[in-house]
Amino acid sequence: RRALMEILPIELSRGKRLLYPITFMMIDIDGFKKINDLHGHIEGDRVLREFGGILQVSIRKQFDSAFRYGGDEFMLLLPGTDKQGASKVAELIISRVRERSKELGMGDKTGKLTVSIGLASSQPTGDEEMKGLFDRADKALYAAKLDGRDKYVIGD
C-alpha cells in the first residue's frame, strides 16, 4: 500500500505533464473469507499468490503496477490507459480468474472463484485527482459487488 501511495502522485503528475490518462482499478476476490473459513489460511494464501500471478501477466505496459492493498483487495495503476483499455484489462483478469479457478479448484466449496473490479479513469489536472480517482474506483467496486459480483464497473 505504501508503494502505491508513493507512485500514484508521481504518475498523476506525469499524466498531467504529458497529457495522458491514468486508470486506477480496485479488485476484490469475491467470497475470500469463505475460502479461509472452509479451507484454512494456507489455502487462502495459495489463492492470493495465484491471483497475484494472474494480475502480473494481465498488465503489459512498462509502468503498469499491481499492489496488494490489504486482505483480499488488490489495486492496479495503469498510466497511459483510458477506460476502454482498462475495460479490456478487467475483462482479461475476470476471464483468467474463471479459467484458473476451474483448473486449480480454487474458491469456495463449489470450486468457483470470482473477482469484482471497480475502475476509474482520469486525465489528471491537479493533486486533488488522487482522492477522486480512488473514491470513484471504490464506488465502482461496490457497485460491481452489489450487482452480483464476477464483473467490473466503470466509475463515472
Side-chain angles (χ1 to χ4, degrees):
R1 187 185 297 192
R2 278 189 305 248
L4 171 66
M5 293 307 157
E6 290 173 11
I7 291 172
L8 187 55
I10 294 166
E11 288 301 338
L12 288 169
S13 176
R14 186 178 295 147
K16 180 181 175 184
R17 192 174 64 253
L18 300 176
L19 301 175
Y20 63 68
I22 303 286
T23 296
F24 190 56
M25 222 182 263
M26 296 183 78
I27 307 166
D28 190 63
I29 299 174
D30 298 325
F32 184 73
K33 183 180 179 333
K34 190 192 286 188
I35 293 168
N36 275 337
D37 291 347
L38 288 173
H39 304 289
H41 292 284
I42 293 173
E43 177 66 9
D45 288 347
R46 183 181 74 85
V47 168
L48 290 173
R49 283 191 305 276
E50 185 70 30
F51 181 66
I54 289 170
L55 290 181
Q56 289 300 319
V57 299
S58 298
I59 57 177
R60 297 189 177 126
K61 292 182 183 175
Q62 179 182 3
F63 295 107
D64 291 353
S65 303
F67 306 90
R68 184 170 177 203
Y69 195 67
D72 60 337
E73 210 168 57
F74 292 79
M75 300 199 181
L76 295 183
L77 180 61
L78 308 172
T81 302
D82 61 15
K83 62 184 168 186
Q84 289 81 15
S87 293
K88 291 178 183 175
V89 173
E91 289 167 1
L92 181 63
I93 291 168
I94 289 169
S95 173
R96 285 183 170 162
V97 167
R98 288 175 185 156
E99 184 178 303
R100 284 303 278 165
S101 177
K102 289 177 190 170
E103 291 171 7
L104 297 175
M106 294 168 30
D108 62 18
K109 61 185 172 191
T110 66
K112 183 180 178 191
L113 181 73
T114 62
V115 294
S116 296
I117 301 174
L119 66 93
S121 194
S122 178
Q123 173 65 54
T125 58
D127 294 336
E128 71 284 349
E129 293 284 333
M130 187 162 68
K131 181 167 178 11
L133 199 58
F134 180 89
D135 288 345
R136 287 185 8 242
D138 188 43
K139 286 177 184 169
L141 173 62
Y142 186 70
K145 290 185 151 307
L146 283 178
D147 194 30
R149 303 173 192 259
D150 193 25
K151 62 182 62 179
Y152 73 95
V153 170
I154 300 171
D156 50 13

